[in-house]
RNA sequence: GCGCCCUUCGUCUAUCGGUUAGGACAUCAGCCUUUCACGCUGAAGAGGCGGGUUCGAUUCCCGCAGGGCGCGCCA
């Protein structure tokens, strides 16, 4: 896209074209019928109600798996309704935001096949606008200057902890006269949160969630250096960007309450919210960066196909009846907020692998060679390969692919299974293969080699016929001949179908490898 | 500590008060077969606990237990 709504990311004062039309917040369904739009008597949202979602990562690291799923859900929701998904880089933490992280995130999204509409918005570039909104709140008496020092704040928390009270700012500057301000202290601007009543978030996944306003303290809007905090910036940006649906991890659920208060103070409509459960590690513990959570580029390097990861991710926390396999089109057509569950899911590599195997088996041969090539710089060197396939190896790989892709669950396994294609002669035999090639086996190879040499043409059909005929004459089972041949040709006891291996290797290489193993 | 959220096979999930609680991955057995894999067939495997409400609770309500998240001049 990038049409009239596209935001200029780095302008001095990047004002957005105000969203031309913001749908009023829909009545929310109760928790009870949250999953069943029809039952709630709500017709599907009409297409004219353009949905605008956003993915808003903070560039302090790579795109981790939870973020990838959040992006996917946002993307799916927008695509499902013919809306737009925006990308906003939340880089207001100048200390921790890096360009490398931004690059990694964009790269990860691209690899996953998730695109966004318009230019990515860099939140920090909009600081002036955020400040303007904070000042407006100040002018309207909905915010105030707070001169409490870090030490005071820390002490406040300590005391609250000791007295087993909630850890909150006590509002000491809320109604204090500014004339009492200590000299030389730069104040922060705090939001004047309501003291009475309650704040309700009607969440499309979590249902109706209520907080007593006594639980929510006066958060900082503007730091003492005048820069906006995340809590202010998200609200202003989501509003200015015309975001209608906020889909994010449920670690933001409490933030949703505080942000709702800010929206209301500003007189703005609160977007539809959907807080999705977090993804945990296999052990049920949280899948955090410090526990080795991986960036999507790590999944790429482990040999997963983006469509497999996408399919795995979409089913983690979301379901559509019993369907497990979803093409991108099917996902888009079926995706709905109501299908998202509320409990955290564990990440299961085994299932991801099974799914990846499925997608590999159904993938086009040439595409798999290309996929292999994209990660070859990462996984090739340790396997004796350069960053690109030599032409003849590439051709062999392509020819062997039908038999190869059937028995691998990742691209790394695929490459390993294909290693006999470029193995140097004489082949190093693995343990089982070495054991299998006993004297009798070598004798059979000796018998067979001239027969194979005489074949014209030399292909899977002719070699198979020759080997079968030999087995019959010798009065042995086919396996007793085939396994030694497999061991001699691939160095292993398992491989793609033997006669396909011979055909791919070609007459010369086949005979040479057999000759290598004739002596014990 | 305070608040909020969660709890169905090992894992991901279906279930809209009445089902032999279904599917997928994994596991086990068998078939297929030149190996492995694929595929096919079959088996085993689940509603955390305690109270309600109801003719009937996995489903609704309450409590408990367990787990998660939040409580920054981080996002």
């Amino acid at each position: 896209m990038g049409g009239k709504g596209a935001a200029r990311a780095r302008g001095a004062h990047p004002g957005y074209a105000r969203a031309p039309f913001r749908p009023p917040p829909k009545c929310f369904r109760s928790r009870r019928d949250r999953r069943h739009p029809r039952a709630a008597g709500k017709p599907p949202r009409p297409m004219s109600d353009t949905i605008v979602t956003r993915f808003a990562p903070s560039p302090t690291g790579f795109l981790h798996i939870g973020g990838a799923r959040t992006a996917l859900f946002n993307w799916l929701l927008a695509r499902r309704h013919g809306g737009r998904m925006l990308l906003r880089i939340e880089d207001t933490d100048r200390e921790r935001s890096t360009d490398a992280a931004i690059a990694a995130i964009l790269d990860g999204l691209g690899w996953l096949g998730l695109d966004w509409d318009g230019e990515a918005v860099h939140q920090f570039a909009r600081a002036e606008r955020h400040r303007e909104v904070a000042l407006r709140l100040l002018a309207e008496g909905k915010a105030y200057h707070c001169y409490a020092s870090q030490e005071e704040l820390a002490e406040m928390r300590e005391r609250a902890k000791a007295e087993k009270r909630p850890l909150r700012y006590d509002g000491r500057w809320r109604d204090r006269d500014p004339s009492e301000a200590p000299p030389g202290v730069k104040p922060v601007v705090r939001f004047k949160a309501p003291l009475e009543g309650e704040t309700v978030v009607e969440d499309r996944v979590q249902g109706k969630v209520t907080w007593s306003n006594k639980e929510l303290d006066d958060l900082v809007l503007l730091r003492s250096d005048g820069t906006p905090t995340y809590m202010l910036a998200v609200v202003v940006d989501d509003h200015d960007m015309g975001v209608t649906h906020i889909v994010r991890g449920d670690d933001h659920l409490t933030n949703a309450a505080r942000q709702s208060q800010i929206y209301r103070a500003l007189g703005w409509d609160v977007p539809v919210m959907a807080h999705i459960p977090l993804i945990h590690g296999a052990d049920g513990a949280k899948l955090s960066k410090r526990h080795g959570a991986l960036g999507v580029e790590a999944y790429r390097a482990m040999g997963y196909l983006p469509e497999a990861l996408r399919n795995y991710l979409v089913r983690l926390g979301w379901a559509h009846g019993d369907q497990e396999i979803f093409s991108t089109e099917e996902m888009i057509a079926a995706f709905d907020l109501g299908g998202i569950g509320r409990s955290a899911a564990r990440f299961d590599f085994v299932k991801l692998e099974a799914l990846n195997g499925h997608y590999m088996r159904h993938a086009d041969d040439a595409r798999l060679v290309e996929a292999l090539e994209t990660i070859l710089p990462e996984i090739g060197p340790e396997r004796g390969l350069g960053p690109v396939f030599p032409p003849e190896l590439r051709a062999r790989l392509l020819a062997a692919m039908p038999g190869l892709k059937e028995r691998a669950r990742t691209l790394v396994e695929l490459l390993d299974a294909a290693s006999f294609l470029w193995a140097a002669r004489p082949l190093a035999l693995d343990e089982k293969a070495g054991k299998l090639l006993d004297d009798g086996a070598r004798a059979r190879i000796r018998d067979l080699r001239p027969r194979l040499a005489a074949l014209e043409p030399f292909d899977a059909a002719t070699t198979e016929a020759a080997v079968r005929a030999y087995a019959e004459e010798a009065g042995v089972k086919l396996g007793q001949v085939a396994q030694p041949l497999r061991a001699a040709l691939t160095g292993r006891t398992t491989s793609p179908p033997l006669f396909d291996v011979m055909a791919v290797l070609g007459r010369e290489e086949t005979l040479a490898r057999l000759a290598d193993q004739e002596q014990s």
Side-chain angles (χ1 to χ4, degrees), chain A residues 396 399 420-421 452-453 457-460 463 489 498-514:
Chain A
R396 274 188 182 178
F420 71 89
L421 292 175
L452 293 170
F458 185 92
D459 59 27
T463 52
L489 258 21
L498 180 63
F499 306 109
D500 293 338
V501 169
M502 291 194 190
V504 170
L505 252 23
R507 186 198 309 267
E508 200 182 325
E509 182 70 15
T510 298
L511 297 176
R513 290 188 185 190
L514 293 182

Side-chain angles (χ1 to χ4, degrees), chain A residues 131-150:
Chain A
R131 199 166 316 157
E132 171 193 321
V133 172
L135 263 22
R136 173 184 146 197
L137 250 14
L138 210 46
E140 293 173 355
K142 294 168 178 168
Y144 59 94
H145 288 294
C146 167
Y147 296 85
S149 66
Q150 295 287 4

Side-chain angles (χ1 to χ4, degrees), chain A residues 35-293:
Chain A
R35 309 177 67 89
H36 306 289
R38 291 247 165 77
K42 281 277 150 205
R45 178 180 284 268
M47 291 289 283
S48 58
D49 258 351
T50 301
I51 280 189
V52 179
T53 65
R54 44 70 152 184
F55 177 54
S58 68
T60 53
F62 40 52
L63 175 63
H64 59 89
I65 207 70
R69 187 185 58 162
T70 299
L72 175 63
F73 282 14
N74 275 288
W75 184 82
L76 252 14
L77 186 65
R79 292 290 170 271
R80 167 72 180 83
H81 294 94
R84 295 180 288 146
M85 179 180 93
L86 274 21
L87 177 66
R88 185 174 66 232
I89 306 294
E90 310 227 308
D91 54 354
T92 51
D93 183 342
R94 304 314 290 165
E95 310 280 279
R96 295 194 292 163
S97 299
T98 68
D99 287 344
I102 294 176
I105 289 166
L106 301 190
D107 187 50
L109 289 173
W111 177 69
L112 264 180
L114 305 181
D115 54 356
W116 57 93
D117 297 299
E119 261 181 74
V121 171
H122 291 254
Q123 189 161 60
F124 188 69
R126 302 196 7 97
E128 206 41 59
R129 163 65 176 156
H130 303 147
R131 199 166 316 157
E132 171 193 321
V133 172
L135 263 22
R136 173 184 146 197
L137 250 14
L138 210 46
E140 293 173 355
K142 294 168 178 168
Y144 59 94
H145 288 294
C146 167
Y147 296 85
S149 66
Q150 295 287 4
E151 294 69 38
E152 267 180 272
L153 261 17
E155 186 198 316
M156 202 183 293
R157 273 191 287 270
E158 283 309 309
R159 213 169 45 228
K161 207 170 223 172
E163 294 170 18
K164 303 189 173 182
R165 285 184 292 107
L167 281 46
R168 287 188 264 108
Y169 170 69
D170 62 8
R172 59 183 59 179
W173 284 95
R174 188 176 167 113
D175 297 307
R176 206 134 141 204
D177 195 289
S179 65
E180 295 180 44
V185 174
K186 290 201 163 195
V188 297
V189 173
R190 278 187 190 269
F191 178 65
K192 202 177 269 186
L195 297 173
E196 305 294 326
E198 39 189 39
T199 293
V200 175
V201 170
E202 295 281 2
D203 193 275
R204 291 287 290 269
V205 170
Q206 304 291 333
K208 178 178 177 178
V209 188
T210 306
W211 287 263
S212 162
N213 284 338
K214 291 183 172 57
E215 303 298 332
L216 276 7
D217 60 359
D218 293 348
L219 58 280
V220 173
L221 261 19
L222 246 35
R223 302 185 180 100
S224 49
D225 65 0
T227 58
T229 59
Y230 159 81
M231 211 62 79
L232 201 223
V234 238
V235 171
V236 175
D237 288 347
D238 282 335
H239 172 265
D240 288 2
M241 291 164 78
V243 170
T244 63
H245 290 64
I246 295 175
V247 179
R248 77 235 292 196
D250 71 10
D251 49 339
H252 283 281
L253 194 54
T254 311
N255 292 338
R258 326 187 79 134
Q259 288 159 18
S260 295
Q261 295 181 335
I262 301 178
Y263 275 103
R264 290 184 186 117
L266 256 9
W268 294 344
D269 291 334
V270 182
V272 173
M273 305 237 189
H275 288 87
I276 64 181
L278 269 20
I279 299 175
H280 290 172
D283 58 357
K286 67 174 164 185
L287 193 65
S288 66
K289 287 161 201 162
R290 45 261 179 205
H291 285 88

